[in-house]
């Protein structure tokens, strides 16, 4: 039975520049108990379509259709249809406790008393596998992690008892391990309640793992639809092939020029009351290499990047640059530059692209450039061209660019001062697959050409395995494993690294469905999170021993590989020997 049925939906935006057609006669349906995917690059019209269905289009938009129904009835958001958004924070009221936010939705739906609504809210929260649901009910949104908040939003959606749920990029902001838990939860909800689910995503791995049918969108039209096997193994449209190729493309890695240390971080510690602190992080970045840092959100990756660029100050520890202590102010005087995750948020909306680059040059360029306006302009023009933009783009404001173009400006701004180290903090995660590949190609070309060392922070294990020569994995503010990327990816030692790699989804339906993290039946740990005492991963670890809850493991080193886990200690597992060639114990 067709639960959601959209027939010939068209949407236009009326702008100062004229009429812009965003959707052209979109036909789409989702069956009962089915998960259907809607994929396409950003700007293809996916979100417009969903906003039109939910009646959330902006005032300057108009729509026409031959019918949008849920089980033959008109769509009533919050009654027969619910939506889960990419950013759970934006859907929750920061000043209201979690329990009350779910309870109010239950009461609005069931018109029941406070106690009954509270019991139902607890039941729903428990169903999402959040762990300690009673405690969570009494907490505020800021006290929970991104994965937990997404579970709360799912509980609120379920409280509406909808016939269909639209999930718009529900796991884009989450790391691979938490993503796997949320996808498993969505699948379980569909199986247990028969709710239909429309998954809107630019992530082809997520779509391959979860959906049976898929629609491919481009420029406001459905260009292709069918079973995931048909679309992923035998795409009929050139555009679908391009989308699939963009996630499979491999690059030759830059291994770095020398094994010489450019940046050395020793026992870096920064404590926060909440998450995202780091403890005793020690690592080295070699000249000209790409070192990738993996881990979930809140694991401390961004804090480390911010300390290195001087945005934050460490509590303890030292940073050496070419064996000399790094200056305290303005960290490295432009030698270390950063490309941020959100290119829009990191650019000043009042400055044109040219002005933003000029500002960077005036702050950290050469003395001649600082003094000579024409020299700066010439350099900015060249840099704009190098990142694939035009001279005319210099006079445009950030709002006039697409997400990919804004990220190009972010890269240009970082590179224009000729840094020796580039830190990319989730620089690709807000972009769709095709744009991701273009920006990645650009970054890798420039990195190779100029031999810049790069600290590449990402939660996407596929990207990390493809582009870095060495990597580190962070959990709970600690660096739990480091080594050569090909060795870590093919033989992970730390249980958390293994979990991350197991959960990384491929754009291949049969392989993605075999991922243990996603396959039905595997129990969630309930997201118990970082442990205060002992090994921070002990609450989630299937290999935990008695010692793991009592003391924190030190870092055990075996040549280039280092791992912080008792499984590799002689004292606790009896398997450690400096002469023994260690392979995975897990
Ligand atoms: Fe698991 Fe113990 Fe190793 Fe921590 S130290 S990762 S709990 S086995």
């Amino acid at each position: 039975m067709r639960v959601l049925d959209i027939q010939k939906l068209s949407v236009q935006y009326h702008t100062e520049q004229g009429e812009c057609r965003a959707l052209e006669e979109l036909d789409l349906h989702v069956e009962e108990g089915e998960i259907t995917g809607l994929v396409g690059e950003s700007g293809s019209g996916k979100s417009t379509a969903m906003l039109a269905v939910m009646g959330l289009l902006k005032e300057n938009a108009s729509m026409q259709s031959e019918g949008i129904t849920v089980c033959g009835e008109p769509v009533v958001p919050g009654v027969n249809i619910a939506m889960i958004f990419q950013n759970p924070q934006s859907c929750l009221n920061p000043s209201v406790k979690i329990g009350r936010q779910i309870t109010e939705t239950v009461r609005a739906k069931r018109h029941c008393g406070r106690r009954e609504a509270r019991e139902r809210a607890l039941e729903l929260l428990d169903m999402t596998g959040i762990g300690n649901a009673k405690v969570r009910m009494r907490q505020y949104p800021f006290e929970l992690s991104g994965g937990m908040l997404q579970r709360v939003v799912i509980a609120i959606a379920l409280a509406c008892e909808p016939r269909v749920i639209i999930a718009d990029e529900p796991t884009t902001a989450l790391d691979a391990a938490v993503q796997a838990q949320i996808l498993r939860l969505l699948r379980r909800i569909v199986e247990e309640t028969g709710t239909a689910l429309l998954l809107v995503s630019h992530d082809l791995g997520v779509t391959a793992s979860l959906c049976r049918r898929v629609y491919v969108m481009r420029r406001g039209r459905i260009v292709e639809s069918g079973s995931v096997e048909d679309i992923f193994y035998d795409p009929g449209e050139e555009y679908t092939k391009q989308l699939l190729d963009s996630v499979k493309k491999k690059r030759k890695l830059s291994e770095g020029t020398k094994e010489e240390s450019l940046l050395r971080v020793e026992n870096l510690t920064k404590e926060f009351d909440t998450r995202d602190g780091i403890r005793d992080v020690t690592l080295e970045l070699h000249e000209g290499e790409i070192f990738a840092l993996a881990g979930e959100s809140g694991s401390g990756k961004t804090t480390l990047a911010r300390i290195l660029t001087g945005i934050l100050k460490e509590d303890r520890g030292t940073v050496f640059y070419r064996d000399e202590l790094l200056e305290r102010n303005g960290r490295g005087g432009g030698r270390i530059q950063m490309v941020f995750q959100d290119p829009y948020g990191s650019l000043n909306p009042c400055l044109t692209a040219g002005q933003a680059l000029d500002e960077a040059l005036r702050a950290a360029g050469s003395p001649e450039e600082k003094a000579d306006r024409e020299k700066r302009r010439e350099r900015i023009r060249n840099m704009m061209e190098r990142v694939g933009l035009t001279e005319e783009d210099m006079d445009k404001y950030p709002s006039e660019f697409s997400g990919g173009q804004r990220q190009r400006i972010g890269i240009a701004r970082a590179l224009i001062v000729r840094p020796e180290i580039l830190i990319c903090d989730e620089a690709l995660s807000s972009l769709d697959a095709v744009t991701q590949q273009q920006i990645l190609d650009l970054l890798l070309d420039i990195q190779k050409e100029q031999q810049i060392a790069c600290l590449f922070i990402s939660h996407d294990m596929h990207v990390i395995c493809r582009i870095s020569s060495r990597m580190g994995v962070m959990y709970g503010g600690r660096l739990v494993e480091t080594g050569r990327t090909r060795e870590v990816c093919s033989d992970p030692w730390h249980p958390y690294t293994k979990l991350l790699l197991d959960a990384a989804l491929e754009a291949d339906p049969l392989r993605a469905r075999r991922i243990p993290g996603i396959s039905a039946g595997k129990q969630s740990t309930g997201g118990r999170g970082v442990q205060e005492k002992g090994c921070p991963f002990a609450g989630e670890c299937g290999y935990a021993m008695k010692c793991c809850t009592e003391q924190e493991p030190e870092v055990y080193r075996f040549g280039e590989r280092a791992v912080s886990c008792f499984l590799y200690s002689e004292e606790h597992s009896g398997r450690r020997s400096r002469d023994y060639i260690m392979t995975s114990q897990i």
Side-chain angles (χ1 to χ4, degrees):
M1 181 181 106
R2 286 188 176 197
V3 178
L4 177 66
D5 196 3
I6 304 172
Q7 291 181 17
K8 303 224 175 310
L9 171 64
S10 297
V11 174
Q12 306 81 33
Y13 286 104
H14 309 284
T15 65
E16 283 175 7
Q17 287 77 36
E19 193 172 278
C20 167
R21 298 185 75 78
L23 278 187
E24 291 272 2
E25 303 202 336
L26 178 107
D27 281 317
L28 182 153
H29 73 272
V30 190
E31 305 269 337
E32 188 174 6
E34 182 192 56
I35 307 179
T36 300
L38 179 61
V39 299
E41 58 189 11
S42 14
S44 59
K46 306 185 304 282
S47 293
T48 299
M50 296 313 108
L51 293 175
V53 171
M54 298 298 285
L56 295 172
L57 283 175
K58 286 185 183 162
E59 277 177 4
N60 68 339
S62 60
M63 61 178 268
Q64 305 80 40
S65 78
E66 289 186 5
I68 304 176
T69 53
V70 173
C71 301
E73 302 283 324
V75 171
V76 187
V79 175
N80 56 15
I81 192 165
M83 194 154 170
I84 301 165
F85 293 89
Q86 175 179 347
N87 182 358
Q89 279 96 339
S90 64
C91 322
L92 296 168
N93 186 333
S95 56
V96 177
K97 287 183 181 169
I98 299 297
R100 199 166 137 213
Q101 300 199 43
I102 309 174
T103 307
E104 279 174 4
T105 315
V106 173
R107 290 192 75 192
K109 175 76 190 181
R110 295 195 165 183
H111 308 289
C112 57
R114 221 172 270 280
R115 176 179 292 196
E116 191 187 327
R118 220 185 135 65
E119 274 167 17
R120 175 69 182 150
L122 187 61
E123 197 180 296
L124 287 169
L125 202 54
D126 219 17
M127 186 176 165
T128 67
I130 198 168
N132 280 336
K134 270 190 183 154
V135 177
R136 307 290 170 231
M137 292 276 281
R138 293 195 295 272
Q139 288 180 308
Y140 288 97
F142 72 86
E143 295 177 83
L144 306 188
S145 67
M148 287 180 186
L149 290 177
Q150 199 56 292
R151 287 174 202 267
V152 172
V153 171
I154 292 172
I156 292 175
L158 289 175
C160 302
E161 297 170 29
R163 298 301 305 269
V164 55
I165 295 176
I166 297 177
D168 189 2
E169 308 277 5
T171 56
T172 305
L174 307 173
D175 66 88
V178 183
Q179 169 176 277
Q181 293 171 2
I182 297 293
L183 295 181
R184 196 164 49 230
L185 170 63
L186 290 174
R187 171 176 284 176
R188 209 183 79 216
I189 287 168
V190 170
E191 284 169 358
E192 288 176 7
T193 65
T195 313
L197 182 75
L198 178 61
L199 180 79
V200 184
S201 180
H202 68 247
D203 189 324
L204 298 174
V206 168
T207 309
S209 72
L210 216 58
C211 302
R212 290 282 158 206
R213 279 192 315 119
V214 64
Y215 291 86
V216 183
M217 259 190 108
R218 188 190 194 197
R219 295 189 184 148
R221 290 175 183 273
I222 299 287
V223 292
E224 195 167 4
S225 67
S227 71
V228 276
E229 286 83 1
D230 285 350
I231 301 286
F232 280 71
Y233 295 139
D234 188 19
E237 289 289 320
E238 198 44 45
Y239 173 68
T240 316
K241 282 182 200 157
Q242 249 182 42
L243 268 183
L244 289 165
D245 285 348
S246 65
V247 287
K248 290 177 186 157
K249 197 170 165 187
K250 293 240 184 301
R251 288 278 310 226
K252 170 117 182 54
L253 299 182
S254 168
E255 293 278 339
T257 43
K258 312 157 203 147
E259 299 272 299
E260 271 172 33
S261 160
L262 184 60
L263 191 80
R264 204 169 75 245
V265 166
E266 283 179 8
N267 302 106
L268 217 55
T269 300
K270 174 86 189 165
E271 311 269 2
F272 287 123
D273 290 343
T274 51
R275 300 149 44 82
D276 221 18
I278 58 171
R279 186 164 329 153
D280 284 327
V281 171
T282 296
L283 69 84
E284 236 177 24
L285 183 64
H286 299 158
E287 283 197 42
E289 75 163 348
I290 301 180
F291 185 96
L293 212 47
E296 63 180 4
S297 42
S299 61
K301 307 187 300 290
T302 298
T303 303
L304 177 61
R306 288 175 176 213
I307 292 174
L308 295 181
T309 45
I311 300 171
L312 281 176
K313 190 182 172 309
E314 66 276 12
D315 295 337
R316 284 195 304 283
T318 33
V319 184
F320 293 96
Y321 188 89
R322 292 194 189 283
D323 289 331
E324 282 179 19
L325 217 55
L326 199 64
E327 311 154 21
R328 293 245 39 91
N329 293 332
R331 208 127 242 193
R335 285 176 297 183
I336 304 176
Q337 289 291 318
M338 193 154 163
V339 179
F340 297 87
Q341 171 176 7
D342 172 14
Y344 198 57
S346 64
L347 291 170
N348 184 339
C350 307
L351 294 186
T352 62
Q355 287 168 337
L357 264 61
D358 193 53
E359 191 184 56
L361 259 187
R362 275 186 289 136
S366 64
E368 305 91 69
E369 281 163 347
K370 282 184 185 178
D372 188 338
R373 189 166 181 273
E374 226 4 82
K375 257 204 176 110
R376 290 203 305 272
R377 204 167 162 80
E378 179 58 28
R379 188 154 169 72
I380 293 168
R381 221 182 344 253
N382 291 340
M383 184 48 80
M384 290 289 280
E385 243 171 58
R386 182 63 196 91
V387 298
L389 296 169
T390 62
E391 197 176 337
E392 291 75 61
D393 289 331
M394 282 167 66
D395 299 321
K396 291 187 188 161
Y397 289 93
S399 60
E400 296 175 76
F401 292 104
S402 69
Q405 285 172 323
R406 281 199 281 264
Q407 200 53 293
R408 285 173 196 267
I409 299 170
I411 293 168
R413 189 182 52 180
L415 292 176
I416 199 153
V417 295
R418 304 180 189 87
E420 288 188 59
I421 297 174
L422 189 66
I423 300 180
C424 299
D425 186 7
E426 300 281 6
L428 305 176
S429 46
S430 63
L431 308 171
D432 62 77
V434 175
T435 319
Q436 256 192 26
Q437 188 56 49
Q438 291 165 352
I439 299 292
L440 194 58
D441 280 341
L442 173 70
L443 271 172
L444 294 182
D445 285 344
I446 295 177
Q447 188 271 337
K448 220 169 171 184
E449 197 177 286
Q450 304 185 6
Q451 283 299 321
I452 303 175
C454 183
L455 181 64
F456 192 89
I457 297 174
S458 176
H459 63 251
D460 186 333
M461 294 301 273
H462 286 305
V463 172
I464 285 181
C465 295
R466 271 156 60 199
I467 68 148
S468 63
S469 47
R470 291 192 308 129
M471 65 180 285
V473 177
M474 287 193 77
Y475 183 84
R478 282 75 154 184
L479 195 59
V480 295
E481 180 162 6
T482 49
R484 293 237 156 242
T485 302
R486 59 171 178 271
E487 286 161 18
V488 175
C489 288
S490 58
D491 178 26
W493 285 9
H494 196 281
Y496 178 63
T497 315
K498 183 168 165 38
L499 184 81
L500 278 184
L501 284 163
D502 279 352
L505 299 172
E506 287 186 53
D508 178 327
L510 294 179
R511 288 173 71 121
R513 280 184 208 135
R514 283 203 299 266
I515 300 284
I518 303 298
S519 58
K522 186 172 173 184
Q523 284 303 305
S524 162
T525 57
R528 279 190 292 269
V530 178
Q531 301 299 293
E532 293 298 325
K533 194 171 162 236
C535 171
F537 192 56
E540 304 270 328
C541 184
Y543 303 87
M545 304 170 273
K546 192 166 176 284
C547 57
C548 303
T549 52
E550 291 164 353
Q551 65 190 93
E552 200 172 326
E554 61 178 274
V555 177
Y556 302 104
R557 296 186 187 279
F558 303 89
E560 286 186 86
R561 197 79 173 262
V563 60
S564 170
C565 169
F566 285 131
L567 288 172
Y568 301 86
S569 92
E570 199 166 12
E571 186 190 347
H572 296 286
S573 75
R575 308 273 296 268
R576 185 188 184 208
S577 157
R578 295 217 177 260
D579 306 325
Y580 181 69
I581 300 168
M582 186 70 71
T583 53
S584 180
Q585 301 198 7
I586 57 175

